[in-house]
Amino acid sequence: MLSRKPGVPVDDQELPTLFHAIDQIATTTLAEALERAVSQLRTVLTDALRSDARLLSTGIEILGVQVPAVRPESDVERALQTPVREQFQAEADRAVYERRAVAVERERTISENEMASQIELATRGTALADAGRTAAGTTGNAGK
């Protein structure tokens, strides 16, 4: 039973506006409620109170309703945070994987460059040795 004061029931004329506001709130899904609950709740309650016959008959004008927060119970909040935490962890894992892949690619490039440098040095060394042998052979043939 709804009442303004304990033991004083609400007049039947008050119920349609009140129930409309309650229906609007009750049919909102939990995800919608958490996503846009404050503004939606503020709008629903403001509209309901502005059209309340009792308030209009007394001359009270509703300028607005303040709803500071809409929060789930702690267990529900933790359950809702789990997918978000998992998504952040997956993104962090992906970033680590990408950084490692880039580091491996850089290491491969460095190794290839080192190998190319060693091959170049070996080629030059062989060319110098061949040139030295050719020069020694030419000098030896010239003395005969």
Side-chain angles (χ1 to χ4, degrees):
M1 177 187 272
L2 299 170
S3 66
R4 286 186 294 261
K5 296 179 188 173
V8 178
V10 174
D11 185 3
D12 286 346
Q13 292 176 348
E14 300 170 7
L15 293 179
T17 303
L18 183 60
F19 283 149
H20 174 71
I22 291 171
D23 286 345
Q24 290 292 321
I25 295 166
T27 57
T28 303
T29 66
L30 181 59
E32 289 173 342
L34 294 175
E35 184 178 307
R36 56 187 170 97
V38 172
S39 62
Q40 181 183 15
L41 185 58
R42 184 182 307 125
T43 301
V44 168
L45 291 175
T46 301
D47 292 345
L49 291 172
R50 281 183 179 161
S51 62
D52 187 307
R54 283 180 307 134
L55 294 175
L56 292 173
S57 69
T58 60
I60 296 175
E61 179 184 358
I62 301 298
L63 300 175
V65 175
Q66 183 161 354
V67 179
V70 174
R71 294 191 54 155
E73 292 182 4
S74 61
D75 294 341
V76 174
E77 187 172 19
R78 271 194 301 278
L80 292 171
Q81 289 172 351
T82 300
V84 174
R85 274 196 217 110
E86 289 174 356
Q87 181 182 1
F88 285 149
Q89 186 60 48
E91 289 174 12
D93 291 345
R94 188 171 29 259
V96 167
Y97 174 78
E98 289 173 3
R99 282 194 300 273
R100 286 181 182 165
V102 167
V104 166
E105 182 63 26
R106 286 180 182 159
E107 284 292 323
R108 185 186 63 75
T109 303
I110 290 169
S111 294
E112 286 176 356
N113 288 339
E114 287 175 351
M115 184 65 75
S117 295
Q118 289 175 356
I119 291 171
E120 180 66 27
L121 287 174
T123 303
R124 286 182 186 176
T126 303
L128 285 174
D130 288 344
R133 272 186 249 130
T134 304
T138 314
T139 307
N141 289 337
K144 288 184 181 180

